Amino acid sequence: MRFSWTIAVALLVSGCGSTTQAGRATGNFGPETLTLINSYRVSRGLSPLATNGTLQALARQHSQYQSSRNTLSHNGFRERSARAKAAGLSVVCAENAGYNYKNAQQLFLGWRNSPGHRTNMLRPNLRYAGVSVVGDYATFFACQ
């Protein structure tokens, strides 16, 4: 168990940097962002991530959390990983958070151009994901 939490914490740290792009978010363009992430993964020889209802809900809840506090964070990452495990997924998860992107293309490019966020999107062991945008806050949450 210690090994799994170590990996989860390493994933958390690698995705902590924030990248911002001016503009106000309009609606939840999370699903469109996941499509762009999957196209990028396939272009790199990786399998696309399957949308998972649990991970989608966890991503949405975290985006809502950030929006309600008006702050970008990874607070609760361990709890989200534990909830994913309880739903039958691996505790090995990765998370990206974003702030102030106005569309899926800008959000995806912001994450792609950030080394830690890019690493999380391209982790070959990930299989399932959810992406959600609430207000100005976005969350990508993916697990094995």
Side-chain angles (χ1 to χ4, degrees):
M1 184 74 167
R2 179 177 268 289
F3 177 73
S4 295
W5 281 114
T6 301
I7 292 172
V9 170
L11 292 173
L12 172 64
V13 171
S14 73
C16 277
S18 68
T19 307
T20 61
Q21 176 68 42
R24 178 110 178 118
T26 55
N28 180 13
F29 47 83
E32 184 182 351
T33 305
L34 183 55
T35 298
L36 294 170
I37 291 169
N38 279 334
S39 293
Y40 184 50
R41 286 177 60 87
V42 169
S43 77
R44 298 299 193 114
L46 299 170
S47 298
L49 302 170
T51 300
N52 176 278
T54 297
L55 299 182
Q56 184 65 36
L58 291 170
R60 179 146 186 85
Q61 289 165 7
H62 186 60
S63 292
Q64 288 171 329
Y65 170 87
Q66 293 177 102
S67 183
S68 71
R69 286 160 181 76
N70 200 30
T71 187
L72 186 67
S73 79
H74 290 284
N75 294 346
F77 176 79
R78 286 183 129 184
E79 290 81 5
R80 283 186 292 288
S81 296
R83 288 180 62 194
K85 183 178 181 183
L89 300 167
S90 171
V91 72
V92 178
C93 299
E95 177 176 273
N96 288 348
Y99 170 74
N100 209 25
Y101 291 93
K102 64 181 180 179
N103 60 50
Q105 184 70 25
Q106 286 183 355
L107 177 59
F108 167 72
L109 290 174
W111 284 340
R112 190 190 71 188
N113 293 331
S114 164
H117 294 102
R118 180 176 54 248
T119 296
N120 282 345
M121 291 190 304
L122 296 177
R123 291 192 183 280
N125 58 334
L126 299 178
R127 296 179 36 194
Y128 306 100
V131 182
S132 183
V133 178
V134 175
D136 287 336
Y137 294 89
T139 305
F140 163 78
F141 193 65
C143 300
Q144 283 185 330

